[in-house]
Amino acid sequence: AAVLVGCQPADRSGETFGWVDPPPTVQDVTVTRVIDGDTVEVDTVEGVTRRVRVVGIDTPETQRPDTPVQCWGPEATTFARELLDGQRVTMRDDPRVDLVDDYGRWLQYLVLPDGREYSVAAAEAGAARAYIYDDTRPPQLAGEIAAAQDRAEAAGLGLWGPPCHGGL
């Protein structure tokens, strides 16, 4: 038997579902273009333009090739424009998801100037659905986003009300 001397237990304060998340990387950016309710372009302080897919939500399609505009898609895009267009926001990654998706977009959260998470705000307004790409490791804000969606659904807001009633 081995005896370990002087070992301290690991700090497990950030542990969820059996793993410890590293701290997120944050960066102030300016939203220069809203593509749809869950995809924007940002300029970094270094002057680099990046396309960002917002983590934790999915909005009805308006720009996908060979896909018709979905119910509440234009309204979700308008919601994003009202909250994000031209705003200086804090972009932060989620250590539980990849940094870049299959389309080359950065996967990031956007923190609004007032401190709200855009993902949560969009779900709460009924402009977005909670979305988990990989069920084995949900994003950090999955619970908050799902709770916000539940509130919107219960109130019949946005895509949960007429004419969509939750459908596309």
Side-chain angles (χ1 to χ4, degrees), residues 43-66:
D43 281 350
T44 66
V45 293
E46 295 84 17
V48 176
T49 300
R50 299 282 185 190
R51 190 164 284 197
V52 173
R53 171 63 164 82
V54 180
V55 174
I57 60 171
D58 188 38
T59 61
E61 297 299 332
T62 60
Q63 299 290 322
R64 180 177 281 172
D66 303 320

Side-chain angles (χ1 to χ4, degrees), residues 17-127:
F17 301 113
W19 61 83
V20 177
D21 294 325
T25 302
V26 298
Q27 182 179 78
D28 289 334
V29 297
T30 301
V31 178
T32 56
R33 180 175 171 222
V34 172
I35 296 166
D36 61 22
D38 58 29
T39 306
V40 299
E41 286 183 354
V42 301
D43 281 350
T44 66
V45 293
E46 295 84 17
V48 176
T49 300
R50 299 282 185 190
R51 190 164 284 197
V52 173
R53 171 63 164 82
V54 180
V55 174
I57 60 171
D58 188 38
T59 61
E61 297 299 332
T62 60
Q63 299 290 322
R64 180 177 281 172
D66 303 320
T67 302
V69 173
Q70 295 176 328
C71 193
W72 212 260
E75 293 85 352
T77 301
T78 297
F79 178 84
R81 284 191 177 119
E82 289 172 356
L83 262 62
L84 296 171
D85 207 15
Q87 293 293 317
R88 186 152 181 92
V89 299
T90 301
M91 182 175 74
R92 70 177 184 89
D93 67 349
D94 185 328
R96 296 183 189 175
V97 302
D98 293 331
L99 288 175
V100 178
D101 70 7
D102 293 340
Y103 302 101
R105 300 173 298 188
W106 281 8
L107 298 171
Q108 302 283 308
Y109 290 112
L110 299 177
V111 182
L112 300 167
D114 64 7
R116 291 181 297 152
E117 292 279 353
Y118 173 73
S119 299
V120 175
E124 191 157 48

